[in-house]
Amino acid sequence: MSKEGFVNIHGKEYKTVAKRVQEFREQYKDHTILTEIVQIDEEKCVMKASICRSLEDGNGTVLATGHGCEFKASSQINRTSYVENCETSAIGRALACFGLG
């Protein structure tokens, strides 16, 4: 059984994106995660997530990026949540690029 904030995939424990976001928020209070839709239609969503150093004027330095792509027809959950899953994937990849894998 996996401990909280971890999932077992093919016998290996992985931190969930939610757990990594929590750790990011605790450790990097002067940083932020920004997401943007790159492409979206009724079949597919592509998103970009950026990890930025926050500045008072809102123009933070980009430190890492990640992209996600989800197809609406690829799974039962994606039929209703392909956009949300795409954003989570992009955030997970950006955090991994930032060093929180």
Side-chain angles (χ1 to χ4, degrees):
M1 182 165 154
S2 296
K3 55 187 172 180
E4 186 176 342
F6 290 80
V7 294
N8 187 303
I9 301 173
H10 304 296
K12 190 171 178 183
E13 294 286 317
Y14 291 93
K15 276 187 197 175
T16 63
V17 173
K19 178 73 171 170
R20 289 187 283 146
V21 168
Q22 176 187 3
E23 290 174 353
F24 171 80
R25 299 264 186 240
E26 291 168 355
Q27 295 174 27
Y28 300 95
K29 295 184 186 319
D30 62 336
H31 291 54
T32 190
I33 300 169
L34 302 174
T35 61
E36 63 182 283
I37 295 172
V38 174
Q39 176 187 352
I40 191 166
D41 57 39
E42 286 299 315
E43 297 177 12
K44 175 171 96 171
C45 179
V46 178
M47 292 198 111
K48 177 182 176 182
S50 301
I51 307 294
C52 302
R53 182 175 293 117
S54 299
L55 296 175
E56 289 181 5
D57 64 5
N59 295 320
T61 302
V62 175
L63 303 171
T65 61
H67 288 80
C69 178
E70 293 287 341
F71 292 89
K72 191 171 187 176
S74 69
S75 70
Q76 185 63 35
I77 200 85
N78 270 10
R79 289 190 201 331
T80 60
S81 304
Y82 73 114
V83 176
E84 294 90 331
N85 288 339
C86 189
E87 185 174 43
T88 300
S89 295
I91 291 170
R93 290 180 183 280
L95 288 170
C97 186
F98 184 67
L100 293 175

